[in-house]
Amino acid sequence: MNFLSYLINGISLGSVYAIIALGYTMVYGIAKMLNFAHGDVIMIGCYVVFLAMSGQGISPLPAVVLSIIVCTVLGIVVEKIAYKPLRRATPLAVLITAIGVSYFLQNAALLLFGADTKSFSSVVSLPSLKLADGALTISGTTIVTVLACVVIMIALMMFIKKTKAGQAMLAVSEDKDAAQLMGVNVNATISLTFAIGSGLAAIAGVLFCSAYPTLTPYTGSMPGIKAFTAAVFGGIGSIPGALIGGILLGIIEILGRAYISSQLSDAIVFAVLIVVLLVKPTGILGKQIHEKV
């Protein structure tokens, strides 16, 4: 029964990684750049919810909606100011800029909110589910996190396949210049991609802090890095790959923490990344991405 409990917790944590990984995989798949400031957008979203609930007394749902709006706007602003001028730049220039944006957001949070650890109140009020005569308990946060991940994945796949904006994203991911010649607004499409990824980061951050209720200016750093690992694991640029990579990485981390060492759980996660890069550099679903390129 302990193993099943660990497995469920791993799926829950992996669902958060999967939602965050969507931001990485969408931006890379469409704009061909890695937004390493993505994890810090998570942190900003959590602070918005924290201040709205504790400072203004706003109920959880409106606070989460406000967080999504703020992070969406932040994602668009970051793309316009930091990344748009670098569309034709080298990958190294984009990488350095992303690291700079990350440090800027972290230090801005330090100045605005202080370095003290804040206690984050869960936004989930769903009661726990008890199974097997109480031997197995699934928290309300876990249930909401897994359901949110599934709904987001389905909605995003439908959006990309069934809407004009989604088709524009696919066209830009194939060939930006050709898409522009066909009348696609490339700049607007890339901005929309950043907006969606940042909005999803807000949701993932709130779910993560609801399960692990502490908040600092560095809260988003490690989940962001692990979500990037999940995106690479599943095949960066692939939305189903983000889901598979996130879930598998969450399970590996929780099982490693339970059966090997809690102190080595992070090392185990990154060891998996190294093995994947050595065995299949394109990731689990990387074959489709390779064919597109």
Side-chain angles (χ1 to χ4, degrees):
M1 196 62 70
N2 282 339
F3 175 79
L4 189 57
S5 179
Y6 295 143
L7 188 64
I8 292 171
N9 289 336
I11 293 172
S12 176
L13 180 59
S15 297
V16 174
Y17 290 158
I19 297 172
I20 302 171
L22 281 174
Y24 285 110
T25 207
M26 287 181 67
V27 169
Y28 181 81
I30 294 167
K32 297 298 182 288
M33 61 177 62
L34 294 173
N35 179 21
F36 280 110
H38 192 60
D40 300 292
V41 176
I42 297 169
M43 173 267 297
I44 296 295
C46 291
Y47 269 110
V48 171
V49 172
F50 173 79
L51 293 174
M53 291 178 62
S54 63
Q56 303 299 321
I58 299 176
S59 58
L61 184 57
V64 173
V65 172
L66 178 61
S67 174
I68 294 171
I69 293 171
V70 170
C71 288
T72 299
V73 173
L74 177 62
I76 295 173
V77 170
V78 167
E79 189 274 328
K80 293 293 186 186
I81 295 175
Y83 297 131
K84 186 178 179 181
L86 301 176
R87 292 275 167 80
R88 303 290 181 180
T90 62
L92 181 60
V94 177
L95 177 63
I96 293 171
T97 301
I99 294 172
V101 173
S102 175
Y103 278 114
F104 173 79
L105 293 176
Q106 287 179 10
N107 283 277
L110 276 171
L111 289 172
L112 292 172
F113 310 123
D116 296 338
T117 300
K118 307 290 192 298
S119 179
F120 191 92
S121 300
S122 176
V123 299
V124 179
S125 57
L126 189 71
S128 298
L129 178 65
K130 295 184 182 296
L131 302 173
D133 296 326
L136 179 64
T137 301
I138 305 175
S139 69
T141 301
T142 295
I143 297 170
V144 170
T145 300
V146 174
L147 288 177
C149 179
V150 172
V151 170
I152 287 170
M153 289 292 171
I154 294 173
L156 194 57
M157 294 293 290
M158 293 295 292
F159 171 78
I160 289 175
K161 290 182 178 180
K162 302 294 184 181
T163 67
K164 289 184 178 179
Q167 292 298 307
M169 288 181 177
L170 288 176
V172 173
S173 70
E174 291 283 354
D175 191 321
K176 284 198 284 285
D177 294 330
Q180 193 164 17
L181 289 173
M182 295 300 293
V184 175
N185 189 330
V186 173
N187 289 331
T189 300
I190 293 177
S191 294
L192 177 61
T193 303
F194 271 85
I196 293 173
S198 299
L200 294 178
I203 297 173
V206 169
L207 293 171
F208 181 81
C209 283
S210 293
Y212 304 93
T214 57
L215 178 59
T216 73
Y218 305 104
T219 290
S221 297
M222 188 55 73
I225 293 172
K226 289 179 180 178
F228 171 70
T229 303
V232 174
F233 191 11
I236 193 162
S238 168
I239 291 176
L243 174 63
I244 295 171
I247 297 295
L248 288 178
L249 204 69
I251 292 173
I252 290 168
E253 180 178 345
I254 294 297
L255 292 181
R257 190 182 298 170
Y259 292 110
I260 300 176
S261 170
S262 60
Q263 295 178 337
L264 295 177
S265 60
D266 292 343
I268 293 168
V269 168
F270 297 122
V272 169
L273 174 62
I274 293 171
V275 172
V276 170
L277 290 175
L278 289 173
V279 176
K280 198 173 189 296
T282 54
I284 296 172
L285 300 182
K287 184 177 179 181
Q288 291 92 333
I289 304 304
H290 180 72
E291 288 174 350
K292 288 179 182 179
V293 174

